[in-house]
Amino acid sequence: DRETPSLLSAQRNVDFYNASDVINFQFEVADDSFNASAPFDPRVSCKAVFGDLETGSVDALDISLQNIFYPSVDLNPVYLNGTNVEWQLQCTDPVGRSVSLDGTPFTFDPVPLRVDFSVDGSALDRTLFDDGETIFYSILDDVNGNPDLSGLNDSASHYTHIFNGSSTLVLLDNMEGNFSVGSEGQHILVFHVVDRAGNARDQEFSYTVDSGAPTVTLRYPSPNQEIS
């Protein structure tokens, strides 16, 4: 066997992965067969390598486009959220000749978004409001310990406003926004936020609007009553 295998292409299926994704690589490999009538040596094996993290080898069966599925690859111990992961495919023939091909890096994102609420520039620390007040929200992603505003999948994200038994669905097309507290009574907000890697979170916030001032009724003494 004098021929080194050739890796013609290598790609992965999406740009962002969460912790439960199956990482699917496609590659095309060529190598001469020992058998002159066959175009490819089926004993070539290939594996994906993420930095120092190696996957198990997968045998390449022919020169057509291959699919390698790695459902058991756990990137969590090695990569933090938001890490740009560099990887390569490595193929080896039966006598040990190897070839490698760098793939396009992808982003590892195992952490769902969170929703922070504020009023008048301060973090929200109460659940009772007067009418006319405004609540602000920020949808954040924790990337390597820092807030990130770039990860919202707006086609899958929304919040539901529940008041007096009726629900209103509001699509989220921005990482920041605000809403009026509404009319008197109890309100429930349920934010359903989905990020670019498919991580989803439901975050609920309940509050009460009290728009009426207290009233005082004088019961004793009665009007014009003389008190001795």
Side-chain angles (χ1 to χ4, degrees):
D1 185 357
R2 298 178 179 178
E3 193 74 24
T4 300
S6 299
L7 263 172
L8 308 180
S9 64
Q11 59 187 355
R12 71 280 179 281
N13 52 333
V14 295
D15 291 329
F16 304 98
Y17 290 91
N18 63 44
S20 61
D21 276 338
V22 173
I23 303 177
N24 175 15
F25 298 98
Q26 294 182 322
F27 69 99
E28 191 172 3
V29 62
D31 191 34
D32 286 344
S33 172
F34 291 140
N35 183 345
S37 64
F40 179 71
D41 188 344
R43 291 174 295 174
V44 172
S45 64
C46 297
K47 63 184 175 182
V49 179
F50 308 88
D52 296 329
L53 179 65
E54 294 191 8
T55 66
S57 296
V58 175
D59 289 336
L61 299 180
D62 54 43
I63 63 170
S64 63
L65 199 64
Q66 305 295 308
N67 287 291
I68 316 181
F69 295 92
Y70 289 114
S72 60
V73 173
D74 186 3
L75 300 179
N76 280 293
V78 181
Y79 297 105
L80 297 173
N81 182 39
T83 299
N84 204 37
V85 180
E86 295 183 353
W87 62 281
Q88 65 175 208
L89 282 175
Q90 298 177 355
C91 293
T92 305
D93 69 11
V95 296
R97 292 188 178 90
S98 296
V99 63
S100 63
L101 182 64
D102 291 335
T104 305
F106 62 87
T107 300
F108 179 55
D109 183 359
V111 179
L113 303 167
R114 76 173 193 268
V115 184
D116 289 350
F117 300 99
S118 63
V119 175
D120 297 329
S122 300
L124 188 61
D125 59 357
R126 57 190 171 97
T127 58
L128 186 62
F129 297 88
D130 193 2
D131 63 344
E133 290 193 87
T134 299
I135 298 176
F136 294 83
Y137 65 83
S138 295
I139 302 170
L140 302 173
D141 204 354
D142 181 16
V143 176
N144 295 338
N146 300 306
D148 183 359
L149 297 176
S150 62
L152 183 71
N153 178 350
D154 55 8
S155 65
S157 301
H158 58 266
Y159 71 81
T160 304
H161 179 201
I162 306 171
F163 178 62
N164 286 341
S166 61
S167 299
T168 303
L169 186 70
V170 180
L171 296 179
L172 291 169
D173 58 1
N174 202 303
M175 302 290 284
E176 297 179 303
N178 64 81
F179 51 86
S180 172
V181 294
S183 54
E184 181 158 349
Q186 186 178 29
H187 299 253
I188 301 173
L189 289 170
V190 182
F191 275 74
H192 178 73
V193 288
V194 181
D195 69 12
R196 58 195 174 185
N199 299 297
R201 168 177 285 172
D202 288 331
Q203 188 166 332
E204 181 175 313
F205 172 55
S206 299
Y207 64 92
T208 301
V209 176
D210 183 1
S211 59
T215 59
V216 177
T217 301
L218 183 62
R219 299 187 181 279
Y220 180 84
S222 58
N224 302 317
Q225 179 180 353
E226 293 185 5
I227 301 176
S228 58

